[in-house]
Amino acid sequence: MALWADKYRPKALAKLSYHDNITEELTRLADSGPNFPHLLVYGPSGAGKKTRIMSMLRRLYSASSVDNLKVDVKTFVTPSNRKLEFNVISSPCHLEITPSDMGNNDRVVIQDLLKEIGQTEALDFSGLFHITKKDNTLTDDESTTPQRKFKVVIINESEKLSRDAQAALRRTMEKFSATIRLILICESTSNIIDPIKSRTLGIRIGLPEKESIRTVFENILSNEFEAKKSFPEDWDDRCIVYDHIIEECDQNLRLGIMMLEAMYMNNDTINVQTPVVKPDWQLVIESLAKGVIKDRSVARLTTCRTILYELLSHAIPGKLLLEKLMFNFIKMIDDYSGIHHNNQVKMDIVDAAALFDERLTLGSKDIFHLEGFVTKVMVILETDISSQ
């Protein structure tokens, strides 16, 4: 049984339910054939970047080709003769990689893998075959679109690539532009070097509006008859429930759909008072922030280190943990009576978060900088309280 977020993910550009202007632009790009450019697709998590890219590829090639996925394990050798294994998701017409998983060795992946792909030209056999059917019609799964003479390489988390890897990527884009088209996916373009920005077409995909998210939720429940019975019958009451979910997920559509399904799975009957089921790691972060505000001791710092290690080991990104910690601290400060200069303390916490966010980007061990941020917040709070 598939999760709703996967089960109801649109497969075609025509089925996308918001950002119609972007959908039209992607449709034109998919129909441009050999003029298809390198793309830089950016926007917040959960906005639908990957869904739109895969839908565009299905139009550019065909659904049967793009969905014929396999996972290959590639082996690379670093200049120090160290062997690295790297997972590559591929289909006959595209590849998907996340070089940032290799840390500082991402340059080796970019150079070797893209060089291997670029030196092999995709052949176009479309003119050698003719489709013959009794009624001369095609089904939805079939396509007369000729195979393109280039492969598309999707690079996830491109903002996390090192400067050396980005420089290697720039050279690759120039050398193998005839056989490779790159689609870079990132949340922010601030860490992307200018030469790459100038060689790609930037497309920003923002978070959907509340009304669009409500429509998506309603479409899902209209297909889940048993689930819809658990939600309020009145449209206005359902909208209140939807708005509670939207507020908790910060308009992250993927997370919102998962919260919607979690509410149904954990409650027989749902009304406007039913609490939203949050991810466990968010509850842990809230508890950690509350503990730091109440107790600023070495023992508390040791506990925080253990919790942060556990969260990082469960693949929660360090930058996301830092962001959630900062917002929880700011939200909880007003409820703590011991703090006197609330606004100044909030500004100091934001400054500290900005500092350690940069260090997370430059450093290699997230735990050091997360622990440093927690320690800095303890110092800020203790300084304010002891000043009275």
Side-chain angles (χ1 to χ4, degrees):
M1 184 179 68
L3 295 173
W4 289 355
D6 296 323
K7 184 178 179 181
Y8 295 102
R9 184 190 298 270
K11 301 293 185 182
L13 289 171
K15 295 182 179 179
L16 296 173
S17 55
Y18 57 92
H19 293 337
D20 293 337
N21 57 332
I22 297 177
T23 301
E24 292 175 3
E25 183 177 0
L26 294 178
T27 302
R28 287 195 298 270
L29 290 174
D31 293 340
S32 63
N35 297 321
F36 187 81
H38 301 295
L39 298 180
L40 176 59
V41 183
Y42 61 101
S45 178
K49 300 186 293 296
K50 192 69 171 293
T51 299
R52 278 161 171 72
I53 289 171
M54 297 307 295
S55 298
M56 180 182 63
L57 290 182
R58 291 185 184 96
R59 185 178 181 93
L60 180 64
Y61 297 99
S62 67
S64 57
S65 296
V66 174
D67 293 333
N68 184 18
L69 297 174
K70 64 178 181 178
V71 179
D72 295 325
V73 179
K74 300 285 187 179
T75 303
F76 300 97
V77 180
T78 65
S80 59
N81 291 327
R82 178 186 171 192
K83 287 188 177 182
L84 301 174
E85 290 188 348
F86 182 70
N87 292 331
V88 178
I89 302 173
S90 64
S91 76
C93 54
H94 87 286
L95 290 90
E96 182 179 341
I97 58 176
T98 310
S100 59
D101 289 345
M102 305 304 292
N104 293 328
N105 294 310
D106 54 359
R107 179 181 61 84
V108 179
V109 174
I110 292 292
Q111 286 180 327
D112 293 357
L113 180 62
L114 296 188
K115 181 180 179 181
E116 177 185 338
I117 301 167
Q119 289 176 339
T120 306
E121 182 176 350
L123 300 179
D124 185 358
F125 294 108
S126 59
L128 301 178
F129 300 96
H130 300 280
I131 299 174
T132 57
K133 296 179 68 122
K134 292 181 179 179
D135 55 357
N136 293 322
T137 60
L138 297 174
T139 64
D140 291 339
D141 293 334
E142 295 174 321
S143 174
T144 57
T145 303
Q147 181 175 340
R148 307 301 178 188
K149 291 188 177 182
F150 57 82
K151 271 193 173 183
V152 171
V153 179
I154 300 174
I155 302 180
N156 296 315
E157 300 179 356
S158 55
E159 76 273 23
K160 296 182 180 179
L161 292 174
S162 65
R163 293 283 170 166
D164 289 342
Q166 292 190 44
L169 187 61
R170 176 184 64 83
R171 293 191 294 271
T172 303
M173 294 169 68
E174 295 172 347
K175 187 173 182 180
F176 300 111
S177 59
T179 53
I180 291 180
R181 294 294 187 276
L182 298 179
I183 300 180
L184 282 66
I185 303 178
C186 59
E187 293 189 12
S188 172
T189 61
S190 59
N191 292 326
I192 304 294
I193 61 176
D194 289 337
I196 288 182
K197 292 179 185 178
S198 66
R199 288 165 173 78
T200 55
L201 173 63
I203 299 177
R204 183 183 184 277
I205 300 178
L207 290 171
E209 300 291 335
K210 288 186 177 181
E211 187 61 36
S212 299
I213 298 178
R214 291 195 202 105
T215 302
V216 172
F217 288 170
E218 191 66 17
N219 289 338
I220 290 174
L221 291 182
S222 65
N223 291 290
E224 296 288 338
F225 303 108
E226 292 299 322
K228 191 168 185 177
K229 295 177 183 177
S230 300
F231 285 80
E233 293 185 6
D234 183 68
W235 165 248
D236 291 334
D237 288 345
R238 280 206 307 279
C239 280
I240 294 174
V241 175
Y242 294 160
D243 288 345
H244 289 165
I245 296 175
I246 294 169
E247 183 179 355
E248 291 296 337
C249 72
D250 294 328
Q251 294 179 244
N252 182 323
L253 184 57
R254 180 177 58 250
L255 180 57
I257 294 174
M258 295 175 71
M259 286 182 170
L260 181 74
E261 186 174 8
M263 283 188 73
Y264 162 63
M265 298 299 293
N266 286 274
N267 299 279
D268 295 330
T269 303
I270 298 170
N271 54 50
V272 295
Q273 303 297 329
T274 305
V276 177
V277 180
K278 298 181 182 179
D280 290 342
W281 68 270
Q282 289 192 13
L283 298 176
V284 171
I285 286 291
E286 290 179 8
S287 176
L288 187 152
K290 188 180 297 183
V292 168
I293 291 177
K294 292 183 178 179
D295 177 23
R296 299 163 301 280
S297 63
V298 175
R300 173 62 60 181
L301 186 59
T302 303
T303 303
C304 291
R305 180 189 303 160
T306 304
I307 294 172
L308 292 171
Y309 258 126
E310 187 72 17
L311 292 171
L312 289 171
S313 67
H314 282 79
I316 310 296
K319 281 182 172 288
L320 182 59
L321 293 177
L322 180 67
E323 177 188 346
K324 293 297 182 182
L325 271 173
M326 181 193 72
F327 282 119
N328 276 287
F329 283 136
I330 291 174
K331 185 168 62 176
M332 294 175 181
I333 281 174
D334 290 331
D335 299 330
Y336 186 66
S337 58
I339 299 174
H340 303 282
H341 306 92
N342 292 24
N343 291 334
Q344 183 60 46
V345 169
K346 290 178 183 178
M347 291 174 60
D348 291 342
I349 290 176
V350 171
D351 286 342
L355 173 64
F356 285 98
D357 180 73
E358 181 188 18
R359 292 181 178 178
L360 275 171
T361 302
L362 300 176
S364 57
K365 293 289 186 180
D366 289 356
I367 186 63
F368 294 158
H369 310 296
L370 291 173
E371 187 180 358
F373 173 65
V374 173
T375 305
K376 181 64 175 178
V377 171
M378 286 185 174
V379 172
I380 293 170
L381 296 174
E382 193 64 34
T383 301
D384 180 82
I385 293 172
S386 61
S387 64
Q388 300 300 319

